[in-house]
Every structure is written in structure tokens, then in C-alpha cells.
Amino acid sequence: RLATLTLGFDGLAAEMATTAAWDDNGPSLGVTRSLGYRAERVRTQVREGVAVRQLEFEMEREEFAAVRRDDIVLHGVDAAGGFLGL
């Protein structure tokens, strides 16, 4: 997930990243929280016919600076940005 955030913020100049996880998915919530995402809202979504809470998180560019690693190297970002229309 950190490599994906690096691509978004450093490679593609994103201003914000968002993510969500079911409230019963402890491992995903643990990774999300360990990276410094802010909890933003709780929604009820239907999963397999049952209403379940989904937690939504955000991280802004400035917040990413606290977890940025210098050993992640991006390659081919210009081509990817072009493909994505950026």
C-alpha cells in the first residue's frame, strides 16, 4: 500500500488518497491506520445481502510526508500518467 501511495503522491501529483474497509476486516484496518490515514466517515453498505459498516479514510499529501520512504523508486511514471490521461 505504501508503494501505491508513493505512486499517487510523488509520481502522479495526487492531493488526496482515500480507502475503505469493512469494520470486521482487522488486518486491512490495521494497515490503513498504521499508515496514518484519517478516519472520515462510517457508511452502511450491503455485503452478500447483509448490511455491514464500512469505514472510510483519507490521507492528504502533507500527511503522506510522515510515512514516505526514500527506498521506494518509481519507474515508468510518465508513461503511466499519459495512459491515465494525466
Side-chain angles (χ1 to χ4, degrees), residues 13-66:
E15 294 297 323
M16 179 178 293
T18 62
T19 190
W22 302 113
D23 70 346
D24 61 357
N25 189 342
S28 181
L29 291 170
V31 169
T32 298
R33 289 180 175 129
S34 74
L35 289 173
Y37 279 89
R38 281 179 287 107
E40 283 297 312
R41 52 198 147 278
V42 177
R43 297 182 192 251
T44 300
Q45 302 286 345
V46 176
R47 179 179 68 181
E48 299 176 359
V50 178
V52 181
R53 289 178 4 133
Q54 187 175 58
L55 310 178
E56 297 181 357
F57 299 85
E58 294 180 352
M59 176 187 290
E60 293 185 29
R61 172 183 293 282
E62 295 78 23
E63 295 165 312
F64 173 67

Side-chain angles (χ1 to χ4, degrees), residues 6-7 10-13 73-84 86:
T6 302
L7 173 62
D10 291 345
L12 302 175
V73 179
L74 301 174
H75 299 278
V77 175
D78 291 337
F83 177 77
L84 296 170
L86 303 175

